Amino acid sequence: MEDSATHARLRMGTTMPAESFNASVFLVDRLVETGHGDRVAVAGPMGTMTYAQLAAHVAELAGGLRVMGVRPEERVLLVLPDRPETLITILAVMRMGAVAVPVSPLYDGAELGHLIRDSRARVVVSAPEFEPAVQEALLSAPEVVALVLTDASPPGPGNLPRGPAVTGAGQAAAVETGVPVCPWSDLLEAGRGVTGPYDTCPDSPALWLHTSGTTGAPKAVVHRHGALRDVHEAYGRQVLGLRPEDRCLSVARMSFAYGLGNSMIFPLAAGATTILDPARPTPGGVVERLLEERPTLFFAGPSFYAALLAAQAPEDAFASVRLAVSAGETLAPELHRRLTARFGVDVVDGLGSAEALHIFLSGRPGQARPAGSGTAVPGYELRLLDDSGTPVPDGEPGHLYVRGDSIAAGYWCRTSATRQAFQGEWLRTGDTCARDADGSYRFLGRADDLIKVGGVRVSPMEVESRLLEHASVAECAVVAHVAAGGPERPVACVVPAPGRPIDADELIGFCREALADAECPREVLVLDELPKTPTGTVQRVVLRQLAADLLGK
């Protein structure tokens, strides 16, 4: 017979395995409870905040969301820049047992409308500068009952703005969409002393992160509370070696897996400081942050590192940085060489995905290893298989599979895609790699991006590495082009270095000096910039269409 307490837990939907675990408590309350509440948790142009102050605001907002009627395991969608309120909101949603869905504020109204409908979110949290796009999105999202807007003025150090208390979303003023608007600070006031953390377990849903959408509409990846602890133990502690005195600055935003780890999971789990800047990252703005905030860890993608070099960032920009991390795409060896030569900073390259929550294949600090290669992050296993599922020998390209505790449960409402990618304990990443004799892995590109030339599979990364060695090339991407039903052929899409015109014949000849004939570009397209996703990943599908439009189908 079940006792009355068990019946009560069943009625409340809170029957849990032996271990209770809440990611928000792990990241914030744990530091306060162990006597480290006076450490600086958040820094940057929006002000500073200690762990004690952060914990108080997170608890208040969690209570305010509960008062508003948000329920455990219900999705709350965030359209916010990287500012303290964003960090607080993600943590508060997880604390109260709901599911945080941060999405890029760069999406337009139609795209946001799709994401809101797909997530079934009833509450959306945004900032005033993005309200027009959000209001447009709400016209096609009839299930939303409240829009929460952060305050227009930045909070002071540790003190977020206050407003009159609310007792529910229905008391806020309505707008033309018919969706009530509630000030974010009102929720803080309403939630003071309302509730403690919800009794979640490691397998409870914590947040959704969307794939970059390079080959189609973004898919929502479902992550559990325990995965945030797992990914810190694997990468944050054992690869980055994060410690309380570290200060983390990330170009990648918290609406994506890479940025969320850099700006929330890793620094908070280590009791360190995250530096948040809501401004859209530019070389000039990031250099200003580097010089003013003195971070010890810096995170970006290859495209942004190339932009820093093109903008001729000062040589002492990375003087405080003990380790720089690159991910999102492969860091070409030549770009790696330029970075280390100019800035004298240790740069490690990593491969990860939204499905794995962060990086699972990485170089190591202080180890001389070519960019674009690395070994499995502790806690993960890798294998390379051919099209039939047979392991490939060293040196041969294969489909990369990864196994580890942080792997997601699957895609939301994408059964077919989930079954293709999540195969038992293994995730098929969609990447193609080769394993060298020393046990390291070389990233060759996404499986769909490999180019078949005369029966030879050409890695775009190998060609791009050569192109970047030319002084006239700032950025590049190589894609396949098929004309009039003929064979695939490589086409180089290049962005010229400032003041350096591109000579297509010279560039092709430069490639022929070092590459096999199959690898050499047949055409060169000169572009002002490469099309990228909000994460900074090159949209090769767009470049393939551009090549078809310009060179003929």
Side-chain angles (χ1 to χ4, degrees):
M1 291 284 292
E2 296 170 332
D3 59 25
S4 59
T6 301
H7 275 296
R9 289 195 300 272
L10 288 170
R11 287 196 301 272
M12 295 174 63
T14 58
T15 297
M16 295 292 170
E19 180 188 6
S20 291
F21 179 80
N22 185 287
S24 180
V25 173
F26 170 73
L27 293 173
V28 182
D29 300 65
R30 178 175 57 94
L31 272 296
V32 179
E33 292 167 0
T34 54
H36 300 295
D38 58 346
R39 287 183 186 167
V40 175
V42 182
M46 302 293 285
T48 61
M49 189 179 300
T50 67
Y51 275 90
Q53 293 164 334
L54 177 60
H57 291 319
V58 169
E60 290 168 352
L61 187 62
L65 291 170
R66 179 67 61 85
V67 168
M68 177 175 273
V70 175
R71 299 165 293 192
E73 300 189 10
E74 185 172 270
R75 274 74 63 192
V76 176
L77 190 131
L78 287 69
V79 189
L80 293 167
D82 277 21
R83 53 190 293 174
E85 293 93 331
T86 310
L87 184 69
I88 293 167
T89 305
I90 295 173
L91 292 164
V93 171
M94 294 193 300
R95 179 184 174 87
M96 63 155 297
V99 179
V101 188
V103 301
S104 172
L106 299 181
Y107 288 124
D108 62 25
E111 292 167 327
L112 286 174
H114 167 75
L115 295 177
I116 296 170
R117 294 191 304 274
D118 184 62
S119 68
R120 319 290 196 268
R122 296 170 64 248
V123 173
V124 175
V125 184
S126 187
E129 60 265 36
F130 305 117
E131 185 179 6
V134 173
Q135 292 287 7
E136 179 186 343
L138 295 181
L139 293 172
S140 62
E143 293 184 358
V144 175
V145 299
L147 169 62
V148 179
L149 286 182
T150 61
D151 299 84
S153 58
N159 297 306
L160 294 167
R162 296 290 187 181
V166 296
T167 57
Q171 293 190 358
V175 295
E176 63 183 59
T177 60
V179 177
V181 177
C182 176
W184 187 85
S185 56
D186 284 7
L187 284 186
L188 288 176
E189 194 71 32
R192 302 177 78 174
V194 170
T195 182
Y198 191 72
D199 190 18
T200 52
C201 75
D203 286 341
S204 298
L207 54 85
W208 291 3
L209 295 169
H210 285 81
T211 59
S212 62
T214 54
T215 58
K219 299 183 289 291
V221 182
V222 180
H223 281 292
R224 58 191 185 86
H225 278 258
L228 280 74
R229 177 178 59 186
D230 296 334
V231 78
H232 168 70
E233 286 298 315
Y235 186 75
R237 188 174 66 82
Q238 299 189 66
V239 175
L240 298 180
L242 265 156
R243 41 191 185 257
E245 57 268 29
D246 277 317
R247 295 168 62 84
C248 300
L249 175 62
S250 176
V251 171
R253 307 284 83 180
M254 281 192 287
S255 51
F256 300 98
Y258 183 37
L260 189 73
N262 306 339
S263 294
M264 186 183 86
I265 301 173
F266 301 145
L268 298 189
T273 300
T274 181
I275 301 167
L276 300 180
D277 186 351
R280 188 169 182 176
T282 63
V286 169
V287 167
E288 184 178 351
R289 294 279 75 74
L290 283 164
L291 296 175
E292 288 187 0
E293 301 293 343
R294 311 297 291 173
T296 58
L297 288 104
F298 179 79
F299 306 84
S303 295
F304 198 86
Y305 283 116
L308 285 172
L309 288 169
Q312 298 183 329
E315 294 182 2
D316 64 346
F318 286 83
S320 65
V321 177
R322 67 174 178 86
L323 182 66
V325 178
S326 179
E329 287 198 314
T330 293
L331 182 66
E334 174 60 19
L335 182 54
H336 181 269
R337 186 196 65 77
R338 292 182 191 176
L339 281 171
T340 55
R342 178 167 183 81
F343 301 119
V345 65
D346 188 7
V347 184
V348 295
D349 196 9
L351 177 64
S353 69
E355 293 85 348
L357 190 54
H358 210 268
I359 291 170
F360 53 79
L361 170 62
S362 178
R364 298 296 190 273
Q367 296 184 7
R369 183 180 295 280
S373 69
T375 56
V377 169
Y380 295 91
E381 296 178 59
L382 306 175
R383 64 183 184 184
L384 297 176
L385 306 178
D386 63 19
D387 292 339
S388 66
T390 302
V392 301
D394 286 352
E396 294 295 321
H399 301 291
L400 179 64
Y401 289 72
V402 59
R403 176 167 65 182
D405 290 338
S406 72
I407 301 300
Y411 301 119
W412 169 253
C413 286
R414 302 289 191 278
T415 301
S416 177
T418 296
R419 289 174 176 168
Q420 290 177 20
F422 298 87
Q423 302 179 11
E425 294 182 328
W426 293 90
L427 168 69
R428 178 170 176 161
T429 66
D431 299 313
T432 299
C433 291
R435 185 178 184 272
D436 293 333
D438 64 357
S440 64
Y441 291 77
R442 287 181 293 114
F443 178 61
L444 301 178
R446 298 288 294 174
D448 294 341
D449 294 333
L450 293 185
I451 305 168
K452 298 178 182 178
V453 183
V456 177
R457 288 200 291 183
V458 172
S459 165
M461 308 301 158
E462 304 287 346
V463 187
E464 290 161 8
S465 294
R466 175 59 178 174
L467 287 166
L468 284 171
E469 293 178 17
H470 197 282
S472 296
V473 178
E475 287 188 85
C476 64
V478 174
V479 297
H481 172 58
V482 179
E488 292 186 348
R489 56 181 184 174
V491 172
C493 304
V494 301
V495 176
R500 301 296 297 262
I502 297 292
D503 184 314
D505 292 336
E506 178 191 349
L507 201 56
I508 293 173
F510 181 75
C511 289
R512 292 193 182 281
E513 294 174 3
L515 300 176
D517 181 68
E519 297 176 306
C520 292
R522 304 307 194 262
E523 304 281 353
V524 175
L525 301 179
V526 181
L527 307 176
D528 293 332
E529 61 182 0
L530 299 178
K532 299 182 177 75
T533 67
T535 63
T537 302
V538 174
Q539 292 182 302
R540 294 176 188 268
V541 64
V542 175
L543 289 176
R544 286 193 286 267
Q545 183 60 52
L546 179 64
D549 293 341
L550 295 177
L551 302 176
K553 299 180 180 180

